[in-house]
Amino acid sequence: PQQKSHHHHFNRFFSETAWLDHHSRSLGLFMDGKFVCPADRQTCSLVDSKGSAVCSTVCAVDHDVSKCVSSAVIGFKAWSSLSCFERAKVLLKMGSVLGQHGQCVSEVCELSKTSCSPSTLLRLLQYYSSWAQLRDSLITDWSPLGVVAVVASDDCSLYSLMQKVVPALAMGNSVVIVPGRSSAPPALLLAQLFMEAGLPSSALSVLTGSDVSLGAKVAQNPNISYVTYSGNKQDGVTLCKATAGLGVPVSVSPCVGATCPFIIFESADIDSAVEGVMETAFKAKKEVQWVLCVQESVLDGVVSRLRLRMAAMKCVALASEGDRAQVDAALQEAQKQGATLLQPCAAPPSGTQFPPTVLCGTAPSSPCVVNPPPGPLLPLMSFRSNTEAVSLANHSPHGQAASIWTEDLTLALETAKSLSVGSVWVNSHSMSDPCLPASGHKDSGTCTDGGQEPSSSSSSPPLPRSSSISMDYSNFGTATSPAVIPNGSDPASAPKSYLQFVGGKSCKSESGSSVAVQSPEGTTVLAYCPDGGRKDVRNAVEAAIKVQPGWMKKSMSARAQSLHSLAKGLEAKRRDIAASINAQTGLSLEEADKEVELSIARLSDWAACCDKIQGGAPVRLPQSGFALSLPEALGVVGVVLPDNRPFLSMVTLLGAAIAMGNAVVMVPSQKHPLPALAFIQVLQSADLPAGLVNIITGSRDQLTAALANHSVLKAIWYWGNAEGCQYLQYTCTSPLKTLWLHCQKEEKDGGMDWTQLRPSHKEEMWRKAVQWKSIWIPTA
C-alpha cells in the first residue's frame, strides 16, 4: 500500500493546533522514528467535550504490527547497547525537550480528555534517568527483557501509561505503546519528542487501534518479551485470556474504576477533609470512584458542610446516554435500600447532564459501592469505631488507594497499616511520585509501579515462546492418576504410607485414597502418598488464612528465630531426609547429604534476611512532607514445586515466602514427593504456627486447578508443564492473582540452578513474596 511519511523536527510547533494541523488532523502510526500513514486503513475519530472532531487515528492491522515489532527488535539492539550514562542522558534531554513543548503537550492532553501535567512527566523522566544511570552498579545480574508492549484501555490516563513506558526504557528495553483512544494523540506527540531527544529511531513505537484487541495482537508476536497493561479491569482480563499460553509474562494494573475509601475520623480537621472531598469526588473525569466513610459523631457536621459547598455546583456531563442509564439504576437501587440523596439541584429527566450527588446512608453491599457507575456519585457510609472503619474500607474487592483524615498521627499510621491498599494518603489525596513503589492489593493489580521497578528487567530465564494449546479449561486437572488404597497384606514388607500436612496436623486426603510413588527406575513402589484434591486445598487455605495475619504482625526477629529453629530441626533429621532424597531421586547418599546441608544454610539465609529486607525508610519527596514505603506480605501463596532438586527447591521457596510474612500451601513434585513428606516431621517439631505451612500431595494438574480457583490465594508460584502455565494465565483473572510461572522441561527446571542461587535470584524471590504500600504524610 502507498504510505505517507512525516519525518521532521519539532521546534516550530508550540501549540496543539499547529501540531495537529501539520498532520491534517489525521495521525498515523509511529514507527522507525517517523509517522507512517498506510493507505486503506480504518480510522478512529476522537471528539472533544462539545462533540466536535479533534483528530483521527489509524487502526493498525496485522501487517503493521509485524513491521513495527521487527523494527522494535532493531531498536532494542541499538538502545540496550548504549552505556547507562548515554541512556540516562537521552532521558534527561527528553525532560528539557518536554519543558520547551510543555504547553503543546498540555493542550493535546486537554483536547484528548486525558489530563496530565508536563511537570509530573518531567519528574518521571528525572527519576528514571537516575535509575538508567545507576542500573549496572546497583542492579546486579539483571538484564533488559527485550521488546516490551505497554497496552492501555480507552479510559487510561496518559500518566498511568507513561508510568509503564519510562521505566521500561530506563532499563534498556525498547517499547511498543498500544494506547487507548484518549491517550493516543499525546502518546504519539511524546514519541516524536523522544526522537527529538536522541532516542534511537526504533526504540519507541506507537500503534493505534480501535480497542484492546490490538494489544492482544501485539502480544502474540513472538518477538515481544513482556506485556504490561494499565486501564480498566475488563480489558485487562480480556488481554490476559488472549495471551494465555503464548509464553509471554503479562502484568496488569487495573487503575481505572477501582473503589477507594475516603475516611473522615472525628479527630480530623473537618473543613479540610470536606475540601478534599469536593476536590476529588465530583471530577468530570476520574480514574477511581470514591466512597466516603465518616465517623458517626461528626456525620451531621460533614453532611451540613457538604450541603453548603455543593449548593452552587452545576450538573456534570456524563460520557454517554448509557452511563446515564447506569447512574439512574444505581440511584434507584440505593434509595430502595434506604439511602437519601444530597444534590444541588434536581437531575434533568433525560440527557447526559447529571448533578453531583451524595448518597447518604448507603449500605456496604449496595451496587453503587461494590461496582460504582461512572458519574458524579459519592456513596456515604458511617462507622462508630476505628476498627469498624477499617473493616468497612477493606470490604471492597479493590485495593488501590485510600485517603485518611485525622490529626492523630498514631491513629493514621495504625489505620494505614491495616488497610489492604497500595497507597494511603494521610490528610491528602491523589498524590503520586515515581520514587514510591505501589502495588495494587487484592483485585487491583499484579505488578508494582514506581520505585526501583525491576519488572522491566529480569534474572529469571524467560518462559519458552509458543502458540497457545487448544485446551478445555473446564476439564483441566480432572484426569487423575489411578488412586490406590494399599491393603495391609504384610505390614512388614509393604511400602510405607505417608500422610499430608494440613493445619499443623498430619492427615489423610479427604478422598481417603493414595497413589503409589515409584523408584527412580520405575521398577518398585517405594511408598504410598495421599491423593489430595480440591477439598484438601480448601482446608489448607482456611488454616493458612487464620494464622497468616498474626504471623505477618510478628516482629522480624521473632520470624527469624522461627526460621532458625526450622533449620535446627532439619539438622536433627538430616540423615532421614538424605535417605529419602537418595531413595526417591537416585542421588548418592553423599550428594543427598550435601543437598540437606545446603537446605539448612538456605533456611539460615532467609532467617538472616527477615530484618534486613524491610523498606519503610522515610522517603523525601519533592513536595512538602515525607512518605513511607513498606513491603508487606501477599497473604496465602500457593507453590507448585519443581521436579528437579525436589527438597532444596522446596526449602528455598518456603523460606522466601514465610520470611516475608506469608503462609503457604505447597504441592510437592508429583514425581518425587517423598523428601517433602519426610520434611513434615521437621515442621511438626518447629516453632511455626499451625497452618502456616501446608503440604498436599497428589496430581499436579488437579491441585493446580484447585489453587487457581480459590478466591483467597493472592499468588501462585508454579513449576510445571506448558498446559499448567496456560491454564493459570487464563483462569487467574477474577480475582487477579500474581503468577510466577516456570515451564520445566525434563531436567531443566525453568532454567534455575537451585544449588547456585545468585543474589539477583534471591532478590527476585523476596520481591515476588511482597506487595508494596506507600503511606503519604504531608507536613503543610
Side-chain angles (χ1 to χ4, degrees):
Q2 288 295 307
Q3 298 198 346
K4 288 188 295 178
S5 289
H6 299 296
H7 193 182
H8 50 266
H9 285 289
F10 194 84
N11 45 25
R12 59 186 182 280
F13 304 128
F14 283 97
S15 78
E16 109 290 336
T17 317
W19 182 70
L20 288 171
D21 287 346
H22 178 83
H23 292 281
S24 313
R25 296 197 171 252
S26 173
L27 300 172
L29 310 171
F30 194 85
M31 53 177 100
D32 288 326
K34 55 184 183 283
F35 282 93
V36 178
C37 296
D40 309 323
R41 298 285 188 274
Q42 288 187 323
T43 58
C44 272
S45 289
L46 189 73
V47 294
D48 62 18
S49 48
K50 294 172 188 150
S52 318
V54 174
C55 64
S56 66
T57 54
V58 171
C59 294
V61 297
D62 293 357
H63 170 73
D64 303 321
V65 170
S66 163
K67 190 176 167 192
C68 175
V69 177
S70 301
S71 152
V73 172
I74 298 164
F76 169 63
K77 286 173 185 158
W79 180 236
S80 61
S81 66
L82 295 180
S83 69
C84 292
F85 168 63
E86 287 169 316
R87 280 198 298 271
K89 216 160 63 169
V90 170
L91 293 179
L92 279 175
K93 175 82 186 297
M94 176 61 187
S96 60
V97 171
L98 187 63
Q100 290 167 29
H101 300 287
Q103 186 188 341
C104 182
V105 173
S106 291
E107 288 173 1
V108 171
C109 287
E110 213 169 296
L111 270 181
S112 311
K113 297 184 283 192
T114 174
S115 57
C116 178
S117 79
S119 61
T120 57
L121 291 176
L122 188 60
R123 170 74 187 130
L124 195 62
L125 287 160
Q126 286 169 341
Y127 179 75
Y128 282 108
S129 68
S130 309
W131 272 119
Q133 174 76 47
L134 298 172
R135 194 197 79 180
D136 289 353
S137 54
L138 290 186
I139 310 176
T140 53
D141 292 342
W142 295 84
S143 57
L145 296 167
V147 183
V148 173
V150 178
V151 184
S153 63
D154 288 346
D155 40 14
C156 173
S157 73
L158 180 67
Y159 184 78
S160 298
L161 178 70
M162 296 311 288
Q163 207 177 8
K164 305 269 188 194
V165 173
V166 178
L169 287 172
M171 291 292 112
N173 303 285
S174 67
V175 176
V176 176
I177 304 177
V178 185
R181 287 190 192 197
S182 59
S183 55
L188 287 160
L189 170 55
L190 287 173
Q192 189 177 353
L193 290 177
F194 264 111
M195 296 307 117
E196 196 81 358
L199 191 73
S201 61
S202 310
L204 182 62
S205 314
V206 183
L207 287 173
T208 50
S210 57
D211 57 31
V212 80
S213 63
L214 177 63
K217 280 181 189 168
V218 172
Q220 282 157 7
N221 187 295
N223 289 314
I224 294 289
S225 307
Y226 186 80
V227 179
T228 181
Y229 166 85
S230 193
N232 63 54
K233 167 86 190 282
Q234 199 179 342
D235 283 352
V237 168
T238 305
L239 184 68
C240 288
K241 289 185 186 276
T243 53
L246 299 175
V248 61
V250 179
S251 67
V252 178
S253 301
C255 56
V256 176
T259 306
C260 300
F262 194 108
I263 306 169
I264 303 177
F265 287 102
E266 62 189 0
S267 50
D269 173 345
I270 303 296
D271 290 317
S272 299
V274 170
E275 186 65 38
V277 173
M278 299 305 294
E279 282 170 10
T280 189
F282 303 119
K283 279 184 188 166
K285 187 163 172 76
K286 52 185 180 179
E287 283 202 340
V288 300
Q289 301 287 349
W290 291 96
V291 173
L292 186 56
C293 306
V294 182
Q295 197 149 13
E296 271 183 11
S297 52
V298 291
L299 180 61
D300 293 343
V302 169
V303 171
S304 61
R305 284 171 174 82
L306 280 171
R307 185 178 282 114
L308 199 64
R309 290 297 316 273
M310 288 170 68
M313 292 180 82
K314 294 182 176 149
C315 287
V316 174
L318 300 173
S320 66
E321 293 281 358
D323 285 0
R324 173 65 196 262
Q326 282 186 54
V327 167
D328 287 340
L331 286 188
Q332 275 180 350
E333 186 59 37
Q335 285 175 294
K336 267 189 207 163
Q337 294 182 355
T340 56
L341 306 188
L342 181 59
Q343 294 174 317
C345 57
S350 62
T352 56
Q353 296 289 314
F354 203 84
T357 304
V358 177
L359 295 124
C360 303
T362 316
S365 58
S366 170
C368 62
V369 175
V370 179
N371 192 13
L377 301 187
L378 180 64
L380 188 156
M381 300 184 282
S382 61
F383 61 88
R384 290 190 186 90
S385 65
N386 304 345
T387 315
E388 195 185 340
V390 169
S391 56
L392 204 57
N394 283 340
H395 181 68
S396 161
H398 307 118
Q400 188 164 329
S403 178
I404 301 172
W405 293 76
T406 172
E407 301 285 281
D408 179 345
L409 186 59
T410 307
L411 171 63
L413 291 174
E414 280 300 316
T415 307
K417 282 193 81 171
S418 307
L419 291 173
S420 301
V421 295
S423 297
V424 181
W425 299 296
V426 177
N427 298 330
S428 55
H429 62 83
S430 316
M431 298 171 79
S432 71
D433 190 88
C435 69
L436 284 174
S439 314
H441 291 208
K442 295 190 287 190
D443 210 17
S444 286
T446 61
C447 64
T448 300
D449 291 318
Q452 180 192 336
E453 174 40 19
S455 67
S456 304
S457 55
S458 178
S459 65
S460 277
L463 285 169
R465 283 307 301 254
S466 57
S467 304
S468 54
I469 302 152
S470 172
M471 60 189 284
D472 177 358
Y473 293 104
S474 60
N475 280 332
F476 178 79
T478 52
T480 54
S481 346
V484 182
I485 300 176
N487 59 32
S489 53
D490 178 6
S493 63
K496 182 177 175 180
S497 287
Y498 281 89
L499 298 172
Q500 55 191 17
F501 192 60
V502 174
K505 295 182 187 134
S506 295
C507 56
K508 290 183 173 178
S509 68
E510 285 283 339
S511 67
S513 56
S514 299
V515 286
V517 180
Q518 304 285 343
S519 63
E521 304 79 31
T523 50
T524 51
V525 173
L526 293 176
Y528 294 100
C529 70
D531 187 27
R534 187 177 54 82
K535 287 181 179 174
D536 300 287
V537 168
R538 182 198 62 198
N539 296 344
V541 175
E542 274 175 18
I545 294 163
K546 282 181 192 159
V547 77
Q548 189 272 331
W551 174 250
M552 182 173 73
K553 284 177 186 159
K554 274 197 166 195
S555 71
M556 285 152 186
S557 59
R559 287 210 297 262
Q561 211 53 49
S562 296
L563 277 160
H564 279 306
S565 91
L566 192 60
K568 204 171 168 186
L570 179 53
E571 180 76 69
K573 299 284 183 187
R574 178 175 187 149
R575 289 175 66 178
D576 294 359
I577 303 282
S580 78
I581 295 172
N582 159 257
Q584 177 77 91
T585 64
L587 268 185
S588 69
L589 266 174
E590 191 185 348
E591 283 294 312
D593 187 63
K594 276 185 189 164
E595 183 166 331
V596 179
E597 191 177 337
L598 200 48
S599 302
I600 295 164
R602 201 63 53 82
L603 281 173
S604 302
D605 276 358
W606 285 120
C609 286
C610 279
D611 59 353
K612 309 296 180 294
I613 300 166
Q614 51 195 2
V619 178
R620 287 185 175 277
L621 299 171
Q623 307 93 324
S624 61
F626 64 95
L628 300 174
S629 170
L630 307 170
E632 291 190 335
L634 294 167
V636 182
V637 179
V639 187
V640 181
L641 292 158
D643 292 334
N644 191 19
R645 297 282 177 183
F647 188 73
L648 179 58
S649 61
M650 178 191 70
V651 168
T652 304
L653 295 166
L654 167 73
I658 66 175
M660 297 299 115
N662 300 287
V664 288
V665 177
M666 307 193 91
V667 176
S669 157
Q670 188 176 341
K671 213 162 132 190
H672 304 139
L674 298 188
L677 293 171
F679 184 62
I680 289 173
Q681 55 185 327
V682 178
L683 289 169
Q684 284 170 325
S685 60
D687 171 30
L688 292 174
L692 188 74
V693 179
N694 303 273
I695 296 176
I696 301 172
T697 55
S699 155
R700 181 174 60 203
D701 288 354
Q702 186 183 353
L703 293 169
T704 297
L707 292 170
N709 290 301
H710 201 295
S711 61
V712 170
L713 281 174
K714 173 63 187 171
I716 296 178
W717 301 349
Y718 178 83
W719 276 260
N721 54 26
E723 287 89 347
C725 290
Q726 179 170 329
Y727 177 80
L728 288 169
Q729 286 181 312
Y730 189 89
T731 313
C732 296
T733 50
S734 204
L736 284 167
K737 290 181 175 60
T738 306
L739 300 176
W740 191 23
L741 304 177
H742 304 77
C743 190
Q744 56 183 22
K745 305 258 183 193
E746 297 306 316
E747 285 310 301
K748 280 192 177 167
D749 225 17
M752 200 174 277
D753 179 359
W754 295 101
T755 58
Q756 302 286 327
L757 209 59
R758 299 202 306 267
S760 59
H761 279 136
K762 201 173 282 183
E763 181 176 351
E764 186 167 26
M765 273 178 204
W766 77 254
R767 283 186 182 279
K768 293 286 181 193
V770 299
Q771 53 191 357
W772 290 88
K773 178 184 281 180
S774 301
I775 303 174
W776 294 75
I777 307 167
T779 51

